[in-house]
């Protein structure tokens, strides 16, 4: 009987308990915590991804705006050149648009750059360059307007405008380069965050599954195993073994049950042992005075017959008879109590031997009364305890012989029936019969239907029959009517083999 | 020597039982002298020839012991254990004559070397029948072993 782990301690309150509800709760709790961590991790990853996306969008916006600014400046230059060549105002449209859009766009970029000082510095220099560019463009346009084509061309030819443009291009490239790097880093971060989220999810789900299944399975198995151990122990006790001690591991309700079970068995054993000593004492100490009563009253009759008249001899005889009855009662009670304790070990027993022995026991009395006992058919082997079965058989047969109407020779038939692996043995007599309303009572202890003068007996014989048969896993009963004889039956399992 | 002169030692604490047993021997006309002691210590003293049983002409070593189990001072099984440990006496035939018919007592008695186990019956007639067979069986039919210090020497 063992579950791995700690031996039960003598007092219930001595240890910290870890009830089953707590175990299950802890398992669910742990699983829930794992899932929650998974959820938090997922949330964190998704936040991160969202931040990364926002960051990426910002970078791209900056790049787009820078491109637009560059395009604007180029358009402005183109417009200016167009005007210089043609002198027509409509060619100034792109120049005017660019002039209008430059500052706001740059302001947007500055805003988007946030607190990056390097970039802000570059944007400031871009602003400055832009202003100078527009001033240069303005001057050239004014020259063309005022002094005509040649003056305009000459101004363009100075390359001042182109040089400025180059500087502007350089700054824009610098700013862009930083942003492009940022974009690359941003993408890498996004991929990494996605990976993390993937790993987290897979790991989290698997871990939760494993934990819940393993722990849940472990707990269930432990509970099941230990309850199984306890059940087996209880069954062993029910079959009569009282030396059982269960060692139940753990600190929960099941281990408490184990401790309680052990205590219960100890008390049961104490009670049974007490009963055994009591029966033992009864057997010996109560019978000694009976021996004296019977022996000396008989000695009185035999050795002092001259001194005793018939009344005296009568009295002495009654003393002897009373002692004899008491002895019979004690023996029957002891037999009954001995049957009470355990299921009897059964093995194949030859019914005909048992029947013959019981019949031999009454043959002298039967012959004296001119009766007969017939055994019909071949009684088979049954699964029984020989001693108990012998007792049962003797009781049934002696009853059959005893309970006849005065002067009637007893005629008894013993026969067997077999069906479905069971053997039913009938003891049929031509006796006084039993009224229907008493059919159940007669199998109870101390139930007698007749006075001691008419049919002597202890009232325990049939209780021994019923208890003995039940302890061998069988059943018994009676069919009878008052004045029409009785048919007692017992039913036991048939035994296989020879 | 005639078998009927050999003594039988009756170790029995209950005076009623002792009287009835002796009456049964008398009724069965058994000539062997019955020596009666009423506790375990006296039984050991008698068998070992200790005082006050040291005069073997007055207290002959028995050739059969009828031994009750429940005795004061020393139980029947303790007496039996002692007897079976004595180099010279250990073969002495011992018949347990007691009220217990418990299997445990019977088995223990045989384990410790009892030669036979009888249960005291309640009816005197049954006791008489038992005693009637005791004498021829143990005195006449049974082959006696050598026991040191016995009259058979």
């Amino acid at each position: 009987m063992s579950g791995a782990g700690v031996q039960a301690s003598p007092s219930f309150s001595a240890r910290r308990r870890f009830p089953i509800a707590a175990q299950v709760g802890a398992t669910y709790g742990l699983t829930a915590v794992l899932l929650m961590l998974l959820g938090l991790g997922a949330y964190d990853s998704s936040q991160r991804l969202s931040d990364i996306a926002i960051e990426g969008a910002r970078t791209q916006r900056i790049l787009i705006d820078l491109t637009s600014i560059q395009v604007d400046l180029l358009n402005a230059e183109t417009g200016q050149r167009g005007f210089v060549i043609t002198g027509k105002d409509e060619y100034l449209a792109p120049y005017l648009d660019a002039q209008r859009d430059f500052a706001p766009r740059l302001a947007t970029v500055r805003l988007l750059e946030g607190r990056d000082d390097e970039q802000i510095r570059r944007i400031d220099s871009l602003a400055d360059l832009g202003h100078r560019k527009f001033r240069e463009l303005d001057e050239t346009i004014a020259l063309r307007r005022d002094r005509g084509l040649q003056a305009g061309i000459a101004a363009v030819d100075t390359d001042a405008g182109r040089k400025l443009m180059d500087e502007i291009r350089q700054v824009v490239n610098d700013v862009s380069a930083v942003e492009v790097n940022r974009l690359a880093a941003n993408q890498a971060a996004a991929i990494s965050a996605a990976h993390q989220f993937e790993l987290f999810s897979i790991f989290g789900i698997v871990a939760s599954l494993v934990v819940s299944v393993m722990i849940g399975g472990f707990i269930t198995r432990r509970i099941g195993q230990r309850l199984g151990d306890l059940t087996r122990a209880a069954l062993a006790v029910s079959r009569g073994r009282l030396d059982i001690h269960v060692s139940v591991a753990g600190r929960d309700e099941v281990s408490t049950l184990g401790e309680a079970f052990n205590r219960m068995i100890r008390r049961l054993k104490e009670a049974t042992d007490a009963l055994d000593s009591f029966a033992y004492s009864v057997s010996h100490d109560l019978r000694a005075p009976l021996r004296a009563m019977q022996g000396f009253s008989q000695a009185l009759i035999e050795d002092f017959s001259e001194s005793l008249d018939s009344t005296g001899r009568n009295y002495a005889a009654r003393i002897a008879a009373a002692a004899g009855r008491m002895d019979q009662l004690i023996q029957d009670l002891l037999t009954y109590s001995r049957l009470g304790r355990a299921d009897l070990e059964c093995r194949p027993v030859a019914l005909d031997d048992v029947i013959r022995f019981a019949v031999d026991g009454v043959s002298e009395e039967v012959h004296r009364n001119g009766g007969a006992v017939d055994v019909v058919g071949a009684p088979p082997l049954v699964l029984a305890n020989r001693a108990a079965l012998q007792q049962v058989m003797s009781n049934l047969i002696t009853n059959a012989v005893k309970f006849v109407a005065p002067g009637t020779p007893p005629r008894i038939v013993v026969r067997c029936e077999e069906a479905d692996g069971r053997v039913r043995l009938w003891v049929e007599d031509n006796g006084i019969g039993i009224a229907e309303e008493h059919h159940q009572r007669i199998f109870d202890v101390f139930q007698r239907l007749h006075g001691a003068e008419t049919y002597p007996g202890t009232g325990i014989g049939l209780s021994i029959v019923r208890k003995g048969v039940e302890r061998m896993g069988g059943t018994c009963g009676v069919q009878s009517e008052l004045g029409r004889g009785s048919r007692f039956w017992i039913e036991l399992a048939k035994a296989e083999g020879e | 020597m005639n078998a009927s002169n050999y003594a039988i030692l009756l170790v029995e604490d209950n005076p009623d039982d002792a009287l009835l047993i002796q009456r049964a021997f008398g009724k069965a006309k058994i000539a062997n002298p019955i020596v009666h002691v009423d506790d375990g210590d006296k039984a050991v003293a008698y068998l070992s020839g200790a005082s006050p049983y040291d005069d073997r002409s007055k207290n002959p070593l028995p050739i059969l012991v009828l031994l009750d189990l429940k005795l004061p001072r020393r139980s029947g099984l303790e007496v039996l254990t002692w007897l079976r440990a004595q180099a010279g006496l250990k073969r002495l035939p011992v018949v347990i004559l007691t009220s217990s018919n418990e299997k445990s007592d019977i088995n223990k008695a045989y384990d410790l070397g009892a030669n036979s186990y009888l249960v005291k019956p309640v009816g005197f007639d049954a006791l008489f029948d038992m005693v009637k067979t005791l004498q021829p069986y143990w005195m006449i039919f049974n082959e006696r072993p050598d026991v040191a210090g016995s009259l058979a020497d």
Side-chain angles (χ1 to χ4, degrees):
Chain A
M1 235 37 81
S2 71
V6 180
Q7 184 83 7
S9 71
S11 110
F12 287 147
S13 56
R15 309 189 299 171
R16 253 185 15 247
R17 309 224 69 84
F18 188 34
I20 291 174
Q23 293 176 25
V24 173
T27 308
Y28 279 129
L30 187 58
T31 312
V33 161
L34 280 172
L35 284 173
M36 236 171 48
L37 285 176
L38 166 65
L40 280 173
Y43 178 74
D44 173 70
S45 293
S46 80
Q47 283 300 100
R48 197 108 56 87
L49 274 170
S50 142
D51 286 343
I52 288 170
I54 291 174
E55 184 66 31
R58 188 162 66 112
T59 307
Q60 286 189 319
R61 179 75 199 273
I62 291 173
L63 284 169
I64 290 170
D65 279 351
L66 282 173
T67 311
S68 303
I69 287 171
Q70 209 167 2
V71 164
D72 278 352
L73 288 172
L74 280 169
N75 283 350
E77 207 175 46
T78 309
Q80 176 237 45
R81 300 276 156 83
F83 180 72
V84 164
I85 294 172
T86 63
K88 290 197 183 137
D89 272 339
E90 46 267 38
Y91 282 86
L92 282 178
Y95 165 81
L96 292 167
D97 285 341
Q99 208 177 30
R100 180 198 61 207
D101 290 340
F102 180 73
R105 278 224 174 89
L106 207 57
T108 306
V109 172
R110 180 182 278 110
L111 201 66
L112 288 173
E113 280 298 344
R115 283 200 280 257
D116 188 339
D117 293 335
E118 279 272 327
Q119 294 288 81
I120 298 290
R121 234 182 346 96
R122 291 195 186 100
I123 289 167
D124 285 343
S125 82
L126 186 60
D128 177 63
L129 285 167
H131 279 131
R132 280 160 60 193
K133 178 69 185 172
F134 278 111
R135 220 188 16 246
E136 178 263 320
L137 287 172
D138 275 345
E139 282 169 7
T140 310
I141 288 168
L143 261 175
R144 173 65 174 81
R145 222 192 274 279
D146 295 341
R147 307 246 202 90
L149 179 63
Q150 292 310 321
I153 290 175
V156 171
D157 210 17
T158 60
D159 283 344
R162 195 159 54 79
K163 287 206 180 74
L164 260 177
M165 217 47 203
D166 285 344
E167 273 183 79
I168 286 173
R169 197 171 294 122
Q170 185 60 48
V171 172
V172 168
N173 281 349
D174 287 344
V175 176
S176 298
V178 170
E179 292 305 320
V180 164
N181 280 343
R182 278 215 185 112
L183 200 60
N186 184 281
Q187 274 190 326
I191 290 173
S192 139
H195 263 153
Q196 177 191 298
F197 178 62
E198 233 174 63
L199 274 172
F200 222 100
S201 311
I202 293 174
F203 184 72
I205 290 174
V206 167
S208 308
L209 261 174
V210 164
V211 161
S212 58
V213 165
M214 263 179 47
I215 295 187
F218 177 68
I219 290 179
T220 317
R221 232 175 333 121
R222 262 190 96 216
I223 292 177
Q225 251 171 15
R226 290 178 299 154
L227 285 179
D229 286 346
L230 271 172
T231 309
R232 270 190 297 279
L235 282 174
V237 169
S238 77
R239 266 181 258 115
R241 288 193 53 194
L242 287 181
D243 52 352
I244 301 281
H245 176 92
V246 200
S247 150
V248 182
R251 292 171 294 155
D252 56 7
E253 290 89 334
V254 179
S255 63
T256 310
L257 179 62
E259 289 169 29
F261 180 82
N262 284 334
R263 282 194 204 186
M264 178 184 77
I265 296 307
R266 259 202 307 276
R267 290 284 269 128
L268 193 64
K269 184 157 203 309
E270 278 167 20
T272 317
D273 287 346
L275 196 66
D276 279 352
S277 327
F278 177 72
Y280 189 85
S281 180
V282 160
S283 163
H284 309 310
D285 299 336
L286 278 189
R287 296 178 78 204
L290 289 179
R291 278 197 298 274
M293 278 166 58
Q294 199 284 334
F296 288 116
S297 53
Q298 185 166 336
L300 262 180
I301 297 174
E302 289 173 5
D303 299 350
F304 294 93
S305 49
E306 330 79 49
S307 316
L308 282 173
D309 66 353
S310 60
T311 311
R313 282 196 292 278
N314 186 331
Y315 290 172
R318 282 174 186 272
I319 293 173
R325 277 200 302 281
M326 177 141 184
D327 188 55
Q328 188 57 50
L329 185 59
I330 288 173
Q331 292 200 60
D332 281 354
L333 273 175
L334 279 177
T335 308
Y336 183 74
S337 85
R338 261 191 235 116
L339 280 175
R341 205 185 337 141
D343 277 356
L344 298 166
E345 296 214 3
C346 293
R347 44 178 62 85
V349 173
L351 247 186
D352 56 1
D353 286 344
V354 171
I355 296 173
R356 201 171 319 126
F357 189 86
V359 168
D360 286 349
V362 295
S363 62
E364 193 200 306
E365 187 181 340
V366 165
H367 277 127
R368 214 175 340 118
N369 299 340
V373 180
D374 291 316
V375 180
V376 174
L381 285 170
V382 289
L383 269 180
N385 175 289
R386 171 172 285 278
L389 183 59
Q390 191 64 68
Q391 184 75 51
V392 163
M393 206 61 234
S394 298
N395 285 10
L396 287 174
I397 299 251
T398 48
N399 275 3
V401 171
K402 183 164 59 172
F403 289 99
V404 287
T408 311
R411 287 250 187 289
I412 297 154
V413 174
V414 179
R415 64 182 179 85
C416 295
E417 286 172 352
E418 285 179 50
D420 290 335
R422 311 290 290 179
V423 173
R424 188 174 280 215
L425 177 138
W426 293 89
V427 177
E428 299 168 352
D429 66 52
N430 62 336
I432 56 175
I434 305 162
E436 177 91 35
E437 63 255 28
H438 298 312
H439 283 191
Q440 270 309 110
R441 265 185 59 204
I442 52 176
F443 288 99
D444 292 337
V445 194
F446 291 132
Q447 291 303 322
R448 305 194 61 238
L449 301 178
H450 308 279
E453 301 297 305
T454 44
Y455 295 105
T458 55
I460 307 181
L462 281 177
S463 338
I464 291 176
V465 166
R466 181 168 69 181
K467 208 164 209 200
V469 160
E470 278 170 8
R471 286 282 173 266
M472 294 188 280
T475 48
C476 62
V478 62
Q479 285 176 1
S480 179
E481 286 166 60
L482 202 54
R484 308 274 287 273
S486 306
R487 282 168 307 290
F488 280 86
W489 59 267
I490 62 169
E491 190 178 287
L492 293 168
K494 183 167 168 83
E496 296 310 316
E498 203 37 43
Chain B
M1 206 178 198
N2 197 340
S4 60
N5 292 349
Y6 297 145
I8 296 175
L9 178 64
L10 173 62
V11 187
E12 172 62 64
D13 67 315
N14 184 326
D16 293 333
D17 283 335
L19 186 47
L20 287 170
I21 290 167
Q22 282 164 323
R23 179 168 181 274
F25 270 96
K27 196 163 168 209
K29 304 217 190 332
I30 292 172
N32 301 79
I34 311 285
V35 178
H36 172 223
V37 295
D38 60 4
D39 70 44
D41 279 350
K42 287 187 190 145
V44 168
Y46 190 98
L47 289 168
S48 50
S51 167
Y53 307 109
D54 31 353
D55 186 350
R56 274 283 178 241
S57 58
K58 294 203 184 58
N59 305 291
L61 198 65
I63 60 168
L64 180 69
V65 179
L66 295 176
L67 183 58
D68 191 10
L69 288 185
K70 262 191 17 162
L71 297 168
R73 296 182 188 275
R74 216 190 283 221
S75 75
L77 289 178
E78 285 172 321
V79 171
L80 183 56
T81 310
W82 172 87
L83 183 62
R84 291 293 178 242
Q86 305 312 304
L89 296 173
K90 63 185 182 185
R91 296 194 193 114
L92 191 54
V94 172
V95 172
I96 305 290
L97 181 57
T98 188
S99 36
S100 163
N101 65 350
E102 296 288 323
K103 267 287 181 239
S104 54
D105 287 328
I106 299 172
N107 290 338
K108 244 189 294 187
Y110 277 106
D111 283 342
L112 291 171
N115 298 89
S116 173
Y117 192 106
L118 298 176
V119 175
K120 285 184 239 174
V122 164
F124 183 81
D125 288 341
L127 180 65
F128 176 64
D129 287 340
M130 209 180 253
V131 163
K132 238 186 354 185
T133 64
L134 261 180
Q135 203 265 358
Y137 186 90
W138 289 102
M139 304 300 161
I140 299 173
F141 299 136
N142 190 47
E143 291 296 339
R144 284 185 298 283
D146 290 337
V147 176
S150 74
L151 292 173
D153 287 350

